[in-house]
Amino acid sequence: MSGQSLVEKGRFVGRTAAFVGLTFSMYGMLELDTAISPTSEREAVLHAWIRRYGEALLKLYGVKMIACGPHIERGDIYPGRGAGERGRVFVMNHRSGLDIPICLAYIEATILSRADLSGWPVIGVAARRVGTLFVDRTNKQSGAAAINAMTASIERGRGVLVYPEGTTYEGDEVRPFKPGAFLAAQRTGAEIVPVGLAYEGAAASFGSESFADHMVRVSGSPRTRAAIVVGEPIVDVDGDVGELRERARAEVQSLVYTARRALDADGEGSS
C-alpha cells in the first residue's frame, strides 16, 4: 500500500471492512431464507442470493458494467440449464479478481476455482457455501476429480463456469485453453457458452503480483469499467477435443474484442 495516496488507502480499508460485513450478513440471510423455503425451491433461493451477492460486490467496488448478448443485455441472468435440462458449460477469459463477482451477477453457474481459495478467510467461506468446485492444476488427480465434479454438476442440471486459460493474464489476448471443461462437455453432451470480458485500461488486471496486492490496488480505485459479452452456444461438442477447445478459444477471443469495442464506444456513458 506504500504507493497509494491516503484517499486510496482509506478506500481500500473501507471497502475491505464492508466486504467482510456484506459477505457474512448475506451468508446469514441466505441460510435463513434456505431454512424457511421448501426443499424444492432451495436451489432457486441459492441462485437468487448468489446473484444479489455478485451485484452487491460490483456496487461496493465501483464496477460499472456493459452487458451484451442473450439474456444479460435485457437485465436477466444467463440460465445455467440448457437443452434436456443439462447444465451448460461457460468458458471465459480470466483477467482480474473482479471476474468472479461479475460472473456471479450475470451467469447462473458454479465456478471452477483454484484449490487454495477454499481455505482463504471470508472468501473461502462464501466460495464453499455456494458450491464452488476447486482444482489444483498442478495435480493430475485433482484435475481428474474436477472433471468428474463438473460432469456430475452438469448432469444435475447445474451450469459450470470455467476459466480454461488456467490462470489470469493481462491484456486482451486469449491464451490456449486446457481440456478439462471440454471433456466434461463431451461426456454429458452439454452445450458450451463462450463469454468474453474486457476492462478499461490495465488497472484491474491481475498480473505479476500477489492476489492480496492485486485487491489492494483494485480496492483503492474509485471505479472500474468493464464489459461482458455472451456468445451463442456451441451445441455440437462431439469430435476431437483439441479442435473443440480451439473453436471455443476463438469464439471467446472474438467476444473479448467485441467487449473492448463496447467499452471504447461507450466512453464515459456506462451505467
Side-chain angles (χ1 to χ4, degrees):
M1 290 175 57
S2 59
Q4 290 187 309
S5 69
L6 288 176
V7 172
E8 290 170 330
K9 290 177 182 178
R11 190 178 291 120
F12 163 69
V13 171
R15 281 177 170 164
T16 301
F19 167 73
V20 174
L22 175 68
T23 298
F24 284 114
S25 64
M26 295 193 79
Y27 185 104
M29 289 186 286
L30 165 62
E31 295 295 351
L32 177 61
D33 204 356
T34 300
I36 63 176
S37 299
T39 303
S40 61
E41 297 177 8
R42 288 180 179 175
E43 186 168 347
V45 168
L46 174 63
H47 285 307
W49 277 104
I50 289 172
R51 185 183 189 189
R52 289 175 194 143
Y53 182 55
E55 290 173 338
L57 289 177
L58 294 180
K59 183 175 181 180
L60 173 63
Y61 286 96
V63 182
K64 307 297 182 181
M65 293 297 305
I66 300 169
C68 306
H71 303 288
I72 66 171
E73 66 184 12
R74 62 173 185 258
D76 296 334
I77 198 162
Y78 199 109
R81 289 186 180 180
E85 293 300 295
R86 284 187 298 268
R88 292 179 162 115
V89 176
F90 299 86
V91 293
M92 177 177 164
N93 61 317
H94 198 9
R95 294 297 173 266
S96 173
L98 295 172
D99 295 357
I100 293 176
I102 290 173
C103 292
L104 297 180
Y106 287 96
I107 298 172
E108 186 182 81
T110 297
I111 297 174
L112 183 71
S113 182
R114 50 191 283 181
D116 62 321
L117 183 128
S118 66
W120 291 7
V122 187
I123 296 175
V125 172
R128 292 193 303 273
R129 177 60 183 89
V130 301
T132 301
L133 304 177
F134 299 102
V135 60
D136 179 355
R137 295 191 184 274
T138 65
N139 184 311
K140 289 185 178 180
Q141 287 186 322
S142 176
I147 293 171
N148 291 336
M150 284 189 285
T151 299
S153 291
I154 293 163
E155 290 176 340
R156 290 197 300 269
R158 296 178 180 175
V160 175
L161 186 141
V162 182
Y163 304 113
E165 291 169 294
T167 189
T168 53
Y169 291 97
E170 298 177 82
D172 288 344
E173 178 189 353
V174 179
R175 274 65 170 189
F177 282 176
K178 298 185 182 301
F182 306 97
L183 292 170
Q186 287 188 330
R187 284 185 187 179
T188 58
E191 61 190 39
I192 297 170
V193 182
V195 184
L197 183 65
Y199 292 90
E200 181 182 50
S205 296
F206 181 14
S208 55
E209 59 188 341
S210 70
F211 184 76
D213 287 342
H214 169 65
M215 288 311 298
V216 167
R217 183 164 48 78
V218 170
S219 298
S221 177
R223 74 165 190 165
T224 301
R225 296 178 64 244
I228 183 173
V229 184
V230 179
E232 293 299 324
I234 299 171
V235 296
D236 180 9
V237 298
D238 295 327
D240 181 74
V241 71
E243 292 178 0
L244 178 61
R245 60 178 170 164
E246 175 53 29
R247 177 185 173 188
R249 190 207 64 80
E251 292 279 354
V252 172
Q253 182 68 83
S254 177
L255 295 170
V256 170
Y257 290 147
T258 300
R260 174 63 57 204
R261 289 193 296 271
L263 278 172
D264 292 343
D266 189 70
E268 295 295 318
S270 60
S271 60

